[in-house]
Amino acid sequence: MSRNVKDQAADIKRYSVNLAGSTEQERNRALEAVKEALWENRSIIFQENQTDMDLGIQHGLSDPILKRLRFDESKLRSVLDGIEDLIRMSDPLGKTLLKRELDTALTLEKITCPIGVIGVIFESRPDALVQIAALCLKSGNCALMKGGSEAMRTNRILYRTIFEAACGCGIDPHFLTLLESRSQIDELLECEGSIDLLIPRGSNEFVSYIMEHTKIPVMGHASGICHVYVDKHANIKQAVAVVLDSKLQYVVVCNAAETILVHERIASVFLPELIRELGNRTLEIRGDEAVAQIIPCVPASEDDFGTEFADRIASVKIVSSTEEAAAHINRYGSGHTDAILTEDSDAAETFFALVDSASVMHNCSTRFADGYRYGFGAEVGVSTGKLHARGPVGLDGLTTYKYLVRGNGHIVAPYENGDKEFRFKNL
Amino acid sequence: MSRNVKDQAADIKRYSVNLAGSTEQERNRALEAVKEALWENRSIIFQENQTDMDLGIQHGLSDPILKRLRFDESKLRSVLDGIEDLIRMSDPLGKTLLKRELDTALTLEKITCPIGVIGVIFESRPDALVQIAALCLKSGNCALMKGGSEAMRTNRILYRTIFEAACGCGIDPHFLTLLESRSQIDELLECEGSIDLLIPRGSNEFVSYIMEHTKIPVMGHASGICHVYVDKHANIKQAVAVVLDSKLQYVVVCNAAETILVHERIASVFLPELIRELGNRTLEIRGDEAVAQIIPCVPASEDDFGTEFADRIASVKIVSSTEEAAAHINRYGSGHTDAILTEDSDAAETFFALVDSASVMHNCSTRFADGYRYGFGAEVGVSTGKLHARGPVGLDGLTTYKYLVRGNGHIVAPYENGDKEFRFKNL
């Protein structure tokens, strides 16, 4: 393990075809073995985690970090359930996306295959290690992982357990590698050519840093600046409930709303009703001048729009049309998730067409934008990029495709000089 | 046009939703109008092209560049045919990829939409301007284009003709912008956030420069280092024909072969037969030592493997198995297109599984890897990236998708506290 990361990554790349060529049975059998081994090793896993926790407390880690660091029986059961779900899911590899006869005895087939080598960099949560290792194994991708140093002992025993169980089923040992030194992150970011995709999981600053410092494609989202637009034809009672759910049900997550846009024709009814329904729950409202004329609020600065508060704060702005709302969202949002609340289906369709975000909601909470709630099963992450995978990403996001062409000595010369013609026929 | 490129791009981004929201009829009507206008303006187009050609000859441009620069009636007819094909193709936008009931009155839909704003940078060929403008218009994407300065007059009249014809049909004028100054390329490369995708078309050096100097995703390929592997069970006569077609049918294109790998058990029969069949055609063979023992050749250096000669030169190497051939290809190739020639279907399946390239061929020429020959119609380009679009890219490569969720006041709280459960049902 003393080799540099570039050499390790090049090696993994070279051997990644072995995992790619494994059968569904082999990969599922390995996942079964991983599941059993994790359960069998649970006492030592919990013990190692306790050491990480004790050291974390000594080092004064914050409560939310300690909460994420904790790996107990309930977290273990949850990741084992996840692996069980993955085993049951149909094979994402070798699916035929297109089959076409190009000419007699010359056929084109487009089939799904693994992306290859995935670099995974995550903070704190050891359950992420298990989850991502399982997703990569199911989809035939080799994973090169770097976890947070505060979870080092937990990560190490989880890694060893998974590694040994899968290798014991004949999976190529290059399928999973754990990096432990912080300095290796920068080395990892320079492995373009060996690593095909990076998946960072952690704070906005952390993800932004990764995105800024690598030439490898990154799947993820730095920020979730989500909006709820309350149209003039909104059902007030429903709108209040959806706004409160979007904003307050869980404030730190990326699909929570940050900004509420309200149509000028409904603001004087909606905003006081929102305050009333809020009751004694805390919510700091930062409003523009028009909002301040209706309800008490902190004056909003330009910066309050386009900020992910991830807190009990909302910026509020009055707009005069669905078009203005959409333009505001496209300018200040992060392309993650935005909602319109209206009984006017034309306004909803306009909003759907104009808002350039991965998920666009009509009469429901932004918080539904999530792989589990979309029924994708295991979630790889949420992408705010527009290429490859967008929005909540399931197992499919870890696959690409290749074209296989089968001929019988076909050459292009006769097609070029007009002696032969293609006769395309989908099979 | 004196504004800087970043401001222009931000503006285009802002208005791109208008084109994205246009109907299929509007976009097809605009394409019809573009087609007619190009034909009506043909004399002035040819005249402007003649001026570019005269200046190019004065400036001593090479014959291949002048050939690409030429825009005559045959090139015009060919791009008009391309537009005609595009009009006939089904709308790539608004296709439902998934429709699922999440719970009563809560539905998820995944539909295709344009990527948004495409930056296109191309060298020499004015027909590329027409082709790409038409592809972007059909797929609802705004295009910001920079053509080669040697084609400035031709590009300008083509641009004006297309711009005025489409705007006359009510298409938002932000749909197409032409940049004319070379210094604007570097500005364009810094428009991440406004430009969603860059498509460079030109020499390897040119494409590599673009890929190295931008944070915007790039679709394309810098090099095409394609291999043909002649297996021990190859049909010799067929293999010779396919190797010669792959290597010599058109040497400068990216899907032409550069390296020939030959199994040790067939080399002493195949190689002399290849030389015999070559006859008096020129082909410089750079072989490893084992090759030199069979046929006369130039000694191959390490650099001769992994080089795109784009010339009448081939590197040749003897290998001892399909696995060794695949490993060589994965190491030295560019992931573009590689072929195996064999009568042994097991060897072909091994090759298909182990070779990590966009197109993998069995018993046919690498030259088939092409959007037209795959039956995709208009071709956006060939991608050697593995994410989003891989291999020959058709109109689909210019689309992404968004998730639309329609509810009736649904909030996540009851699903979180267990009062409600998702009941996923594909519709």
Side-chain angles (χ1 to χ4, degrees):
Chain A
M1 279 296 175
S2 60
R3 286 178 309 149
N4 68 52
V5 178
K6 262 197 183 164
D7 289 347
Q8 274 185 279
D11 240 30
I12 296 170
K13 176 78 173 177
R14 193 165 316 133
Y15 289 97
S16 63
V17 289
N18 293 338
L19 180 59
S22 63
T23 65
E24 180 183 12
Q25 287 75 6
E26 286 166 334
R27 283 176 277 116
N28 280 341
R29 205 162 52 219
L31 284 168
E32 281 288 0
V34 166
K35 213 186 66 173
E36 284 160 26
L38 286 169
W39 183 248
E40 275 169 26
N41 283 3
R42 65 190 178 284
S43 344
I44 178 160
I45 293 171
F46 299 152
Q47 201 176 306
E48 292 294 274
N49 184 247
Q50 192 54 55
T51 312
D52 278 335
M53 291 289 292
D54 292 344
L55 283 167
I57 292 166
Q58 272 178 41
H59 289 114
L61 293 186
S62 70
D63 280 350
I65 292 182
L66 288 171
K67 205 175 148 189
R68 287 200 293 271
L69 181 53
R70 159 76 67 206
F71 192 82
D72 53 15
E73 189 165 322
S74 114
K75 287 234 181 118
L76 176 62
R77 281 184 188 278
S78 151
V79 297
L80 296 185
D81 284 351
I83 296 177
E84 187 60 47
D85 287 348
L86 270 180
I87 294 170
R88 265 189 261 113
M89 286 175 79
S90 72
D91 192 9
L93 307 182
K95 279 187 194 162
T96 298
L97 304 177
L98 171 75
K99 195 162 182 177
R100 177 175 292 164
E101 189 176 80
L102 306 180
D103 197 1
T104 308
L106 184 67
T107 60
L108 172 72
E109 195 179 2
K110 182 182 183 178
I111 60 159
T112 60
C113 61
I115 290 174
V117 182
I118 315 284
V120 184
I121 316 178
F122 56 100
E123 292 183 318
S124 307
R125 296 176 41 214
D127 45 328
L129 185 151
V130 184
Q131 204 182 6
I132 296 174
L135 281 161
C136 286
L137 184 50
K138 177 77 182 189
S139 58
N141 288 287
C142 290
L144 219 174
M145 305 197 293
K146 168 70 184 77
S149 54
E150 64 284 358
M152 196 176 76
R153 280 161 199 78
T154 319
N155 286 340
R156 196 181 282 168
I157 180 69
L158 289 172
Y159 167 73
R160 276 202 204 143
T161 305
I162 297 169
F163 182 81
E164 282 165 17
C167 291
C169 295
I171 295 291
D172 184 296
H174 295 86
F175 90 102
L176 194 64
T177 304
L178 181 68
L179 301 176
E180 296 197 329
S181 141
R182 175 167 287 265
S183 66
Q184 293 176 312
I185 295 183
D186 287 327
E187 288 185 67
L188 193 66
L189 299 185
E190 285 176 6
C191 292
E192 68 267 16
S194 295
I195 295 181
D196 297 297
L197 177 68
L198 279 178
I199 302 181
R201 285 217 181 165
S203 66
N204 295 359
E205 298 70 37
F206 176 77
V207 176
S208 295
Y209 177 85
I210 305 289
M211 289 177 164
E212 285 293 310
H213 291 84
T214 187
K215 294 215 158 289
I216 305 171
V218 178
M219 188 191 291
H221 62 284
S223 58
I225 301 164
C226 303
H227 297 72
V228 180
Y229 165 55
V230 183
D231 182 52
K232 62 182 169 189
H233 293 302
N235 169 327
I236 298 269
K237 194 174 145 60
Q238 195 180 83
V240 167
V242 172
V243 164
L244 290 177
D245 189 79
S246 299
K247 179 63 238 175
L248 292 179
Q249 201 273 331
Y250 194 19
V251 295
V252 300
V253 289
C254 61
N255 58 14
E258 306 300 342
T259 299
I260 302 155
L261 303 172
V262 187
H263 192 281
E264 58 187 11
R265 297 249 296 271
I266 205 171
S268 63
V269 184
F270 170 77
L271 288 173
E273 189 59 31
L274 179 72
I275 301 297
R276 212 172 353 258
E277 188 64 27
L278 194 57
N280 53 10
R281 279 176 287 178
T282 309
L283 178 63
E284 178 180 320
I285 289 180
R286 301 191 184 170
D288 68 358
E289 281 179 34
V291 172
Q293 287 174 7
I294 305 171
I295 53 169
C297 65
V298 177
S301 71
E302 168 82 10
D303 281 351
D304 285 322
F305 299 101
T307 290
E308 183 170 14
F309 300 112
D311 203 345
R312 304 180 77 85
I313 305 171
S315 51
V316 183
K317 186 185 164 66
I318 308 288
V319 296
S320 58
S321 66
T322 303
E323 287 75 8
E324 189 189 339
H328 177 97
I329 290 166
N330 289 337
R331 178 160 178 198
Y332 292 96
S334 61
H336 190 298
T337 302
D338 302 284
I340 181 172
L341 311 180
T342 188
E343 300 295 297
D344 175 2
S345 60
D346 287 349
E349 291 308 317
T350 301
F351 192 82
F352 277 162
L354 294 182
V355 171
D356 185 22
S357 296
S359 292
V360 192
M361 320 307 235
H362 174 208
N363 286 346
C364 62
S365 171
T366 56
R367 297 270 294 108
F368 282 105
D370 169 281
Y372 169 70
R373 296 180 188 133
Y374 280 2
F376 296 164
E379 188 182 273
V380 174
V382 176
S383 167
T384 51
K386 292 172 130 182
L387 300 186
H388 188 65
R390 193 180 191 197
V393 182
L395 207 47
D396 287 352
L398 294 180
T399 66
T400 180
Y401 53 81
K402 69 210 280 191
Y403 291 102
L404 308 180
V405 185
R406 295 174 171 93
N408 183 23
H410 290 69
I411 59 176
V412 304
Y415 298 91
E416 288 295 285
N417 67 24
D419 285 350
K420 275 179 150 192
E421 272 193 10
F422 289 101
R423 293 174 309 167
F424 302 119
K425 197 174 93 189
N426 285 346
L427 300 173
Chain B
M1 284 296 178
S2 59
R3 287 177 308 148
N4 67 53
V5 177
K6 263 197 182 166
D7 290 348
Q8 273 184 280
D11 240 33
I12 295 170
K13 176 79 171 176
R14 193 166 313 134
Y15 290 97
S16 63
V17 289
N18 293 338
L19 179 60
S22 63
T23 64
E24 180 183 12
Q25 288 74 10
E26 286 166 335
R27 283 175 278 116
N28 279 342
R29 207 162 50 220
L31 284 170
E32 281 286 359
V34 165
K35 212 185 67 171
E36 284 161 25
L38 285 169
W39 182 247
E40 273 170 28
N41 282 2
R42 63 191 181 283
S43 342
I44 178 160
I45 293 170
F46 300 152
Q47 202 175 307
E48 292 293 274
N49 183 250
Q50 192 53 56
T51 310
D52 279 335
M53 292 288 292
D54 292 345
L55 283 166
I57 293 167
Q58 271 178 43
H59 289 114
L61 294 186
S62 70
D63 280 350
I65 294 183
L66 288 172
K67 203 174 149 191
R68 288 200 292 269
L69 179 54
R70 159 75 68 205
F71 192 83
D72 52 16
E73 190 164 322
S74 115
K75 289 236 181 115
L76 177 62
R77 283 184 187 277
S78 151
V79 296
L80 296 184
D81 284 351
I83 296 176
E84 187 61 46
D85 287 347
L86 270 179
I87 294 169
R88 266 189 259 115
M89 286 175 81
S90 71
D91 193 7
L93 306 181
K95 278 187 195 162
T96 299
L97 303 178
L98 170 75
K99 195 163 184 177
R100 176 177 293 167
E101 190 176 79
L102 307 181
D103 196 0
T104 309
L106 184 67
T107 60
L108 172 73
E109 195 180 2
K110 181 181 184 179
I111 60 158
T112 59
C113 60
I115 290 175
V117 182
I118 315 283
V120 184
I121 315 178
F122 55 98
E123 291 183 318
S124 309
R125 296 174 41 213
D127 45 328
L129 185 151
V130 183
Q131 204 182 5
I132 296 173
L135 281 161
C136 285
L137 184 50
K138 176 79 184 191
S139 58
N141 288 289
C142 291
L144 220 173
M145 305 195 294
K146 168 71 182 78
S149 55
E150 65 285 358
M152 195 177 76
R153 282 163 197 80
T154 318
N155 286 341
R156 193 182 283 169
I157 182 69
L158 289 173
Y159 168 72
R160 276 202 203 144
T161 304
I162 296 169
F163 182 81
E164 283 166 15
C167 292
C169 295
I171 295 292
D172 185 296
H174 295 87
F175 89 102
L176 194 64
T177 304
L178 181 68
L179 301 175
E180 296 198 328
S181 140
R182 175 166 285 264
S183 66
Q184 293 175 311
I185 294 183
D186 287 325
E187 289 186 65
L188 193 67
L189 299 186
E190 286 175 8
C191 291
E192 66 267 17
S194 296
I195 295 181
D196 298 296
L197 177 67
L198 280 178
I199 303 180
R201 287 216 181 166
S203 66
N204 295 359
E205 296 72 37
F206 176 76
V207 175
S208 295
Y209 177 86
I210 304 289
M211 289 177 165
E212 285 292 310
H213 290 85
T214 187
K215 295 214 156 293
I216 306 170
V218 177
M219 187 191 291
H221 62 282
S223 58
I225 302 166
C226 304
H227 297 72
V228 180
Y229 165 55
V230 184
D231 182 52
K232 64 181 165 187
H233 294 301
N235 169 327
I236 299 269
K237 194 174 144 61
Q238 199 180 78
V240 167
V242 172
V243 165
L244 290 177
D245 189 78
S246 298
K247 179 62 234 176
L248 292 179
Q249 201 274 331
Y250 193 17
V251 295
V252 300
V253 290
C254 60
N255 58 12
E258 305 300 344
T259 299
I260 302 156
L261 302 172
V262 187
H263 192 282
E264 58 187 11
R265 297 248 295 269
I266 204 171
S268 63
V269 184
F270 170 77
L271 288 172
E273 188 60 32
L274 179 72
I275 300 298
R276 215 176 346 262
E277 188 63 27
L278 193 58
N280 52 11
R281 280 178 286 178
T282 309
L283 176 64
E284 178 180 321
I285 289 181
R286 301 192 184 170
D288 67 359
E289 280 180 35
V291 172
Q293 288 175 4
I294 304 171
I295 53 167
C297 64
V298 176
S301 71
E302 169 81 10
D303 282 351
D304 286 323
F305 299 100
T307 290
E308 184 171 14
F309 300 112
D311 203 348
R312 305 181 77 85
I313 305 172
S315 50
V316 183
K317 186 181 163 69
I318 307 289
V319 296
S320 59
S321 67
T322 302
E323 287 75 8
E324 188 190 340
H328 177 97
I329 291 168
N330 289 337
R331 174 155 182 205
Y332 293 96
S334 61
H336 190 301
T337 302
D338 301 286
I340 182 173
L341 311 181
T342 187
E343 299 297 296
D344 173 3
S345 60
D346 288 348
E349 291 309 316
T350 300
F351 192 81
F352 278 163
L354 294 182
V355 171
D356 185 22
S357 296
S359 293
V360 191
M361 320 310 236
H362 174 209
N363 285 347
C364 61
S365 171
T366 57
R367 298 270 295 107
F368 282 105
D370 168 281
Y372 169 71
R373 296 182 188 131
Y374 280 3
F376 297 165
E379 186 182 274
V380 174
V382 175
S383 169
T384 50
K386 289 172 132 182
L387 301 185
H388 188 66
R390 193 178 192 198
V393 182
L395 207 47
D396 288 352
L398 293 180
T399 67
T400 178
Y401 53 80
K402 67 209 281 191
Y403 291 102
L404 307 180
V405 185
R406 296 175 170 92
N408 184 24
H410 290 70
I411 60 177
V412 303
Y415 296 92
E416 288 296 286
N417 66 25
D419 285 351
K420 277 180 149 186
E421 272 194 9
F422 290 101
R423 293 175 306 168
F424 302 119
K425 196 174 94 189
N426 287 345
L427 302 172

